[in-house]
Amino acid sequence: MAEPCFQSLHLEGLPRREQFRVARAQLEACCSDQTLYGDMALLDSRDPGDGATMDYSTGAPTQYCIQDGDKVTTLRVGVNTVGRLPENQVVIRDECVSRRHCAIVVHRSGLCELHDVASKNGTVLNGMKIHAPAKLHPGDKIALCSRQIVFLQQQPAAS
């Protein structure tokens, strides 16, 4: 008989792979046609393009980004994954951070949400561990283990 620790049976609750699948399904369920990126048929004439969202209260385009120390990564409309793997949109080089730690969903309307994606150590927003999707506001601090990143809003550069 195989050792249980080699079958991920030693983990409490669902195995991590299954936890990730559940989290991914919840993340996909929150997306809609307002979250899809690059489908030109869904874009209206007021869409600012270049991954920017429209602030409909002021009519000005805006972009969201993540600041990790001196590094600033611009987020795109849609799902932006954050983690240690190089294929994430926001790569955090820290062994404590999960390969796929969390995701930030940016809707075309400007609404932004933070989702933990079954990370081993959890995701903390402004000092509180999140257990469900959480709304993001510019200036929010996101802690991934001992690493802290900041969610920012900026005006896109004029072309």
Side-chain angles (χ1 to χ4, degrees):
M1 180 168 203
E3 187 67 30
C5 65
F6 294 122
Q7 299 176 6
S8 297
L9 297 176
H10 65 287
L11 297 173
E12 292 186 28
L14 295 174
R16 294 261 337 272
R17 185 174 300 267
E18 186 60 29
Q19 289 174 352
F20 174 73
R21 287 185 181 127
V22 169
R24 184 179 59 196
Q26 290 172 343
L27 183 62
E28 289 171 352
C30 85
C31 296
S32 67
D33 63 343
Q34 296 299 304
T35 320
L36 298 176
Y37 180 74
D39 186 345
M40 298 308 285
L42 296 175
L43 301 179
D44 65 27
S45 60
R46 296 191 306 171
D47 188 78
D50 298 329
T53 62
M54 182 65 73
D55 181 347
Y56 289 105
S57 63
T58 64
T62 187
Q63 285 183 324
Y64 296 98
C65 56
I66 290 294
Q67 182 176 6
D68 177 23
D70 293 336
K71 182 180 175 188
V72 176
T73 304
T74 301
L75 302 175
R76 61 180 175 83
V77 173
V79 178
N80 298 271
T81 57
V82 180
R84 201 173 68 228
L85 289 176
E87 57 262 15
N88 288 300
Q89 282 76 25
V90 180
V91 178
I92 308 292
R93 302 206 185 281
D94 187 322
E95 288 302 313
C96 182
V97 173
S98 294
R99 292 176 286 177
R100 293 177 204 93
H101 200 101
C102 62
I104 298 172
V105 178
V106 177
H107 298 275
R108 285 184 36 222
S109 66
L111 173 69
C112 300
E113 302 168 343
L114 177 65
H115 296 254
D116 183 74
V117 189
S119 64
K120 184 175 182 181
N121 296 311
T123 303
V124 176
L125 176 62
N126 296 324
M128 300 290 291
K129 188 171 184 174
I130 64 168
H131 300 286
K135 189 174 178 181
L136 282 171
H137 304 282
D140 281 349
K141 292 171 179 43
I142 303 166
L144 313 173
C145 301
S146 61
R147 193 66 163 268
Q148 184 166 292
I149 59 177
V150 182
F151 177 74
L152 300 171
Q153 178 179 356
Q154 64 185 17
Q155 300 303 315
S159 28

